Amino acid sequence: AQSVTQLGSHVSVSEGALVLLRCNYSSSVPPYLFWYVQYPNQGLQLLLKYTSAATLVKGINGFEAEFKKSETSFHLTKPSAHMSDAAEYFCAVSLSNFGNEKLTFGTGTRLTIIP
Amino acid sequence: DAGVIQSPRHEVTEMGQEVTLRCKPISGHNSLFWYRQTMMRGLELLIYFNNNVPIDDSGMPEDRFSAKMPNASFSTLKIQPSEPRDSAVYFCASSPGTGNPRSYNSPLHFGNGTRLTVT
């Protein structure tokens, strides 16, 4: 079975500072990995996805994530935080053979931006 | 494209009452998913459909929960009877995926959710 662990349920950064949200995965087969963002009172939106092509994946809103097999990690970063980045972020994993049908989400990290 | 549409946005009901949540997926999407989100358990997949057929309902908590998809443009999640522990935000999501490996290219599109409060 696959799973993801998000380290830190709450992260606060100053506006303009680096954003780093951590995600480690566990999977018995090569995984597909995703980051989703949830703004208040809305559903989740896809930020970016890793599907065994380039290990550095660029997403929307200036976010990117790097797949590191040796560390079983898929951390999300953004060089300079913006107030509009305040939201909850979810890492998710899917077995490569099943795509969306077996998507398992982490528990989420709430990102707060300090003015 | 109107996106995934869920109704109602908020539902407050008393325990023991029947609750029906509704979802209209994006036109042309073949897969539909029902998720439940709570502070304690995060996002849980309850059930998903492929081409209107339930594929995996192992996440449905108990027999009080049932889901149907009578056609490609409509699905319901019913709780009967409802209990206070059912209070959560229920999300519907759809994707063009059909269960083959190419479906990973198609992200889930979520609705805005239904916030259910059972008193």
Side-chain angles (χ1 to χ4, degrees):
Chain A
Q2 75 277 20
S3 66
V4 288
T5 301
Q6 292 185 241
L7 302 176
S9 58
H10 292 85
V11 171
S12 296
V13 301
S14 298
E15 190 176 14
L18 171 71
V19 176
L20 171 61
L21 304 182
R22 300 178 187 274
C23 173
N24 288 88
Y25 70 91
S26 173
S27 177
S28 57
V29 298
Y32 291 160
L33 294 159
F34 307 77
W35 276 99
Y36 280 80
V37 60
Q38 184 180 29
Y39 298 103
N41 299 315
Q42 294 185 25
L44 281 71
Q45 304 171 35
L46 181 69
L47 266 182
L48 50 81
K49 60 179 186 269
Y50 165 76
T51 56
S52 74
T55 56
L56 182 62
V57 182
K58 294 186 183 298
I60 61 172
N61 301 338
F63 283 93
E64 62 183 35
E66 186 171 9
F67 173 73
K68 291 187 177 180
K69 184 177 179 180
S70 61
E71 299 177 9
T72 62
S73 68
F74 190 58
H75 302 330
L76 182 70
T77 61
K78 181 173 180 177
S80 177
H82 192 272
M83 295 300 295
S84 61
D85 295 328
E88 188 147 18
Y89 292 80
F90 293 88
C91 182
V93 63
S94 173
L95 296 181
S96 59
N97 290 331
F98 293 97
N100 286 319
E101 282 75 11
K102 293 295 183 182
L103 200 62
T104 301
F105 287 90
T107 52
T109 298
R110 185 171 299 278
L111 176 64
T112 300
I113 309 299
I114 303 166
Chain B
D1 185 350
V4 176
I5 299 173
Q6 291 186 247
S7 63
R9 285 300 308 272
H10 302 274
E11 177 79 39
V12 180
T13 190
E14 294 181 348
M15 68 176 294
Q17 297 298 307
E18 177 179 296
V19 175
T20 300
L21 312 181
R22 297 172 176 80
C23 175
K24 177 178 169 58
I26 292 174
S27 177
H29 282 191
N30 297 321
S31 296
L32 183 140
F33 305 79
W34 282 101
Y35 282 88
R36 179 172 65 176
Q37 185 178 39
T38 62
M39 290 291 291
M40 293 298 294
R41 302 172 69 92
L43 267 167
E44 303 172 277
L45 176 64
L46 301 178
I47 185 172
Y48 77 89
F49 296 83
N50 193 19
N51 293 324
N52 312 338
V53 176
I55 303 299
D56 184 350
D57 65 353
S58 59
M60 295 286 262
E62 47 197 276
D63 293 344
R64 297 185 297 108
F65 286 69
S66 62
K68 295 182 179 179
M69 192 166 185
N71 56 61
S73 59
F74 184 66
S75 177
T76 59
L77 178 67
K78 185 177 294 186
I79 309 173
Q80 166 62 22
S82 58
E83 296 182 3
R85 60 192 168 120
D86 301 330
S87 298
V89 180
Y90 291 81
F91 287 103
C92 177
S94 69
S95 82
T98 57
N100 65 59
R102 293 185 180 277
S103 68
Y104 72 77
N105 279 319
S106 310
L108 294 178
H109 296 257
F110 282 79
N112 286 333
T114 295
R115 183 174 296 277
L116 173 64
T117 303
V118 183
T119 61

